Amino acid sequence: MDYLVDILLLMLTAVLVENYIFSKFLGICPFLGVSEKPDTALGMGFAVMFVMTLSSAATWAVYYGILVPFHLEYLETIAFILIIAALVQFIEMFLRRFLPALYGALGIYLPLITTNCAVLGAALLNIQNGYDFVQSLAYGFSSAVGFTLAIVIFAGVRVRISLAEPPKSFRGVPIAMIAAGLIAMAFSGFSGMSF
Amino acid sequence: MSKYTLKEFGTQMMDGLFAKNPVLVQMLGMCSALAVTTSVTNALGMGLAMTAVLICSNIFISLLRHFIPKQIRIAAYIVIISGFVTAVQLLMQAFLNDLYKSLGLFIPLIVVNCIILARAESFASKQPVLPSAVDGLAMGVGYTFALTVLAAVRELLGAGTLCGVKIMPDAYEPAIIFILPSGAFLTLGFLIALMNKLMDVQKEHAAKKAAAVPAAEAAEPAEETANEESADESVETPEPQPAETEPAAQEPEQKKEEN
């Protein structure tokens, strides 16, 4: 029972308190790149959730199954990035073959995810924090939920910004950054909560 | 290939620092730029690590550019880059352990930093070794420069120190918000806006210069456009003022940099 509570708290922390975008700064490139419209943001979010949960499982298994027994821990960065790249390729092929509808929705986001630092970051943090297999899965999934939450909220804000008229130098990315700063201020309210 | 001249070297360096600055203009590698800039020391350390990886990977990719098949080039680049990142990671762990600890996750994350892959794809895979190495150096220095400026603003306003040395007088109350994540977003937003402004001013300047040359024949219309532009300019300057949550703290800093 205690274990279950621990997992729930871990997930809540990953979504709100240690939000990937607003407190850990992981995955800023897709955050700025695909947050023009709420639907594309949601699509990207789902794709990240999918890949991050699977890659957390795969990297955990490879680290404790292969790297640790052979004392190759220092290769984790190379191994993980290759696993993630291969996994993304594989998911893409699998979806195209068996779930064309889902592929149609997520397909264009999948190649972008290989170089999304949130995915590699989650894999490395799972190892650094010493999570077991279930915790890694929960952490990977809930961090991606936090990422999705952030990117969807931000997309909503950006729709409003696109109607406003900021000073010329602030148009585009600068005003988006400042909006992100204000949302981050709201999210930093969660940091007082410690579990 | 003809000889590589000093002038080309100069243009490449200026591009990396200003016109094509990876962080402030190309908007690449934002994650690490926002995350490690809580102090100038961290920013410099991160910049150095990044520059080292950029130079090495650019040289290597440029050397191998005729051997890597087109279809699998991205995978090949990632393997090369992650090899160098691991080397840098191990070196830092051995010799700069404190810095390594405070940068934490962001050293291994250099692998997925878009700057390196972007330079590999758009420059090193097409150019000979020497320009590629210089490109890596220029981009790395530009990245370090952007990070250092960002970190200097944040550390000075958020903690009253620079590189851990106290600068601000005791009466100054540090605005903690600049050290917090939201301060990173705000400061970078302002910096990019400032960069846009400077580029606009420079463009106008160049346009005026170009207009001044044929001025002998067509003095009238050229002067007119120049006047119009400077009128636009004076309207726009005061606009960024009514800005943000911390206007009192932010404005003087902006002024200082503009000077």
Side-chain angles (χ1 to χ4, degrees), chain A residues 9-184:
Chain A
L9 288 181
L10 178 88
M11 289 175 78
L12 200 62
T13 312
V15 174
L16 293 177
V17 184
E18 291 180 356
N19 188 284
Y20 259 31
I21 303 281
F22 293 126
S23 87
K24 280 202 149 81
F25 301 116
L26 291 169
I28 303 287
C29 298
F31 173 68
L32 290 172
V34 290
S35 59
E36 302 277 342
K37 280 192 233 132
D39 346 339
T40 44
L42 203 61
M44 183 69 183
F46 278 120
V48 169
M49 266 190 234
F50 200 67
V51 173
M52 219 144 120
T53 315
L54 285 178
S55 73
S56 290
T59 50
W60 192 92
V62 168
Y63 188 79
Y64 288 106
I66 299 175
L67 297 185
V68 172
F70 292 106
H71 303 291
L72 293 172
E73 286 93 339
Y74 60 90
L75 284 181
E76 62 171 6
T77 314
I78 301 183
F80 285 6
I81 190 72
L82 289 177
I83 293 170
I84 291 169
L87 191 74
V88 170
Q89 250 336 294
F90 181 73
I91 292 172
E92 201 180 343
M93 288 191 291
F94 181 84
L95 287 184
R96 188 157 30 184
R97 178 77 181 79
F98 296 106
L99 297 163
L102 194 61
Y103 178 77
L106 304 183
I108 47 168
Y109 306 110
L110 284 172
L112 288 174
I113 290 178
T114 313
T115 51
N116 183 343
C117 49
V119 179
L120 183 61
L124 291 168
L125 279 173
N126 280 332
I127 304 301
Q128 220 174 63
N129 296 343
Y131 290 149
D132 64 25
F133 186 69
V134 180
Q135 282 173 327
S136 297
L137 268 185
Y139 183 75
F141 175 71
S142 47
S143 303
V145 171
F147 174 85
T148 312
L149 180 72
I151 198 170
V152 171
I153 291 177
F154 187 60
V157 173
R158 265 187 111 165
V159 169
R160 299 299 291 268
I161 290 177
S162 66
L163 301 173
E165 202 174 325
K168 190 166 162 246
S169 323
F170 278 86
R171 260 168 233 165
V173 176
I175 195 77
M177 282 298 216
I178 287 165
L182 295 177
I183 305 173

Side-chain angles (χ1 to χ4, degrees), chain B residues 29-238:
Chain B
M30 293 296 212
C31 304
S32 50
L34 289 164
V36 302
T37 48
T38 47
S39 80
V40 176
T41 324
N42 280 357
L44 284 173
M46 185 72 201
L48 277 180
M50 185 68 149
T51 313
V53 175
L54 253 172
I55 296 175
C56 295
S57 67
N58 261 9
I59 291 177
F60 224 75
I61 288 167
S62 171
L63 279 174
L64 293 175
R65 68 185 185 282
H66 299 303
F67 300 101
I68 298 176
K70 244 201 155 54
Q71 294 82 0
I72 56 153
R73 65 186 192 287
I74 302 286
Y77 297 160
I78 289 181
V79 174
I80 292 172
I81 294 166
S82 54
F84 283 116
V85 170
T86 305
V88 166
Q89 193 181 350
L90 291 175
L91 282 173
M92 281 184 84
Q93 216 165 352
F95 297 109
L96 298 164
N97 205 9
D98 289 341
L99 190 63
Y100 176 76
K101 273 186 194 138
S102 63
L103 293 175
L105 195 58
F106 285 90
I107 294 292
L109 282 182
I110 293 178
V111 177
V112 282
N113 198 311
C114 354
I115 298 175
I116 300 187
L117 210 56
R119 291 330 287 174
E121 172 75 13
S122 70
F123 198 93
S125 60
K126 297 181 188 114
Q127 302 279 343
V129 178
L130 191 58
S132 298
V134 175
D135 183 72
L137 179 69
M139 288 296 152
V141 171
Y143 175 83
T144 314
F145 166 73
L147 251 66
T148 311
V149 173
L150 186 56
V153 174
R154 285 183 70 192
E155 201 186 344
L156 198 63
L157 296 177
T161 57
L162 272 184
C163 291
V165 182
K166 198 157 173 54
I167 301 282
M168 295 300 234
D170 287 336
Y172 176 74
E173 181 108 14
I176 310 282
I177 188 84
F178 282 97
I179 294 294
L180 294 178
S182 51
F185 283 112
L186 293 178
T187 317
L188 186 55
F190 275 103
L191 268 182
I192 295 173
L194 182 71
M195 197 71 184
N196 285 347
K197 185 81 205 164
L198 289 179
M199 300 257 273
D200 277 355
V201 170
Q202 200 203 10
K203 249 183 236 159
E204 249 165 55
H205 206 72
K208 258 186 218 169
K209 236 184 198 168
V213 177
E217 303 133 51
E220 288 263 313
E223 204 144 71
E224 229 168 68
T225 45
N227 279 344
E228 248 167 46
E229 266 162 14
S230 60
D232 275 355
E233 168 73 21
S234 58
V235 175
E236 252 176 49
T237 339

